[in-house]
Amino acid sequence: LLILALDPPTGVDAFSWSMRIAEEVGDLVHGVKIGLPLVLDIGLQRVGDLLSVFKGIKIADLKLADIGDVMCLTLERLASIGIDAVIAHAFVGFRGAIDKLSSRCRELGVKLILVVSMSHPGSSEIMDEVIDKLVDVARRACAWGVVAPATRLDVVRYVRSQLPEAKILCPGVGVQGASPGDALCAGADYEIVGRLITRSDSPRRSALEVLEMQRKKLAICRR
Ligand code: BMP
């Protein structure tokens, strides 16, 4: 129920930084999410080499937000390095955008995850105002999963009520303020955790602490 966000800090050797963390926590996490900082630092092919250290779901978080044909071009490149899932923004809408991406994902066997709300405060300025429309795009696309904020549990509960079948992935745990396990209790399937683990003196110990907190909270809320 823990997905690691692997975002290397600026100025480090991003490949060895990532490899060290992968070796420490690769067997503990249920998936890994990579994004632009890592891809820009080491390039897509080496991201592929790195991902082979991880078991579980491998998510490319380039937050795709373009016309459908161009998102499909990006998707094809990501699929070629063994990515299992891609994250795109729902706000680009269904027709000519998410519809095409969703079909190509299905052809390539890649899971589609759509952002319907975000963990930073500004999400309530725009995205949360139109959350029903964003959720509707996810529903029409039959998206495998959606991103919702661990920092606003009422939003997680709402998304769960609207999308009973979709996986809900929640970032915002740790540095952004949410506690491990709370989003799971609100209906999420996975918590995405980055710096709390990756910037820790002992990433392994921190990952184990997150897992233990998740287990304890779930034991209470799912009783
Ligand atoms: P951290 O745990 O270090 O705050 O990292 C959170 C991760 O989740 C980052 O990779 C970020 O891009 C991502 N994320 C987020 O923080 N909020 C969102 O709403 C959506 C995200 O993908």
Side-chain angles (χ1 to χ4, degrees):
L1 309 180
L2 170 60
I3 292 177
L4 179 72
L6 207 50
D7 300 314
T10 305
V12 301
D13 175 337
F15 189 79
S16 24
W17 181 90
S18 304
M19 213 31 126
R20 183 179 64 83
I21 291 166
E23 280 161 5
E24 279 207 40
V25 306
D27 62 319
L28 297 178
V29 300
H30 303 99
V32 61
K33 180 180 85 68
I34 58 97
L36 279 172
L38 185 66
V39 176
L40 292 175
D41 271 359
I42 71 173
L44 199 54
Q45 290 316 315
R46 289 177 89 210
V47 170
D49 300 340
L50 182 70
L51 289 179
S52 58
V53 178
F54 286 94
K55 294 191 283 281
I57 187 163
K58 299 168 179 65
I59 303 173
D61 179 14
L62 306 186
K63 298 227 172 48
L64 304 178
D66 210 323
I67 58 167
D69 292 335
V70 174
M71 291 196 287
C72 288
L73 294 177
T74 307
L75 166 67
E76 285 155 15
R77 283 150 175 83
L78 294 169
S80 76
I81 61 149
I83 285 290
D84 300 308
V86 294
I87 298 183
H89 269 297
F91 67 63
V92 293
F94 190 68
R95 286 178 298 130
I98 298 298
D99 55 354
K100 291 193 177 188
L101 182 63
S102 160
S103 312
R104 194 78 184 108
C105 275
R106 218 161 290 132
E107 286 163 10
L108 294 172
V110 175
K111 295 176 169 65
L112 176 61
I113 300 170
L114 294 177
V115 180
V116 297
S117 179
M118 294 187 72
S119 59
H120 64 301
S123 181
S124 56
E125 294 167 14
I126 298 176
M127 295 187 74
D128 293 3
E129 292 285 311
V130 291
I131 193 163
D132 287 322
K133 291 186 175 175
L134 302 178
V135 161
D136 193 49
V137 172
R139 197 180 286 121
R140 289 167 77 186
C142 299
W144 175 80
V146 292
V147 173
T151 46
R152 291 197 308 289
L153 298 175
D154 52 329
V155 177
V156 179
R157 284 187 208 99
Y158 183 69
V159 172
R160 173 47 74 218
S161 74
Q162 298 301 302
L163 295 171
E165 306 290 325
K167 302 288 181 199
I168 301 181
L169 296 87
C170 291
V173 173
V175 173
Q176 296 182 58
S179 297
D182 288 349
L184 298 177
C185 285
D189 297 279
Y190 298 101
E191 289 177 334
I192 296 171
V193 183
R195 290 163 292 177
L196 182 64
I197 295 172
T198 61
R199 308 283 181 99
S200 158
D201 293 339
S202 169
R204 189 168 185 87
R205 192 193 60 228
S206 299
L208 287 168
E209 283 168 6
V210 169
L211 290 167
E212 181 59 11
M213 275 182 82
Q214 288 183 334
R215 197 190 59 73
K216 281 190 178 150
K217 295 246 177 86
L218 283 174
I220 295 169
C221 75
R222 292 199 181 158
R223 194 157 52 195

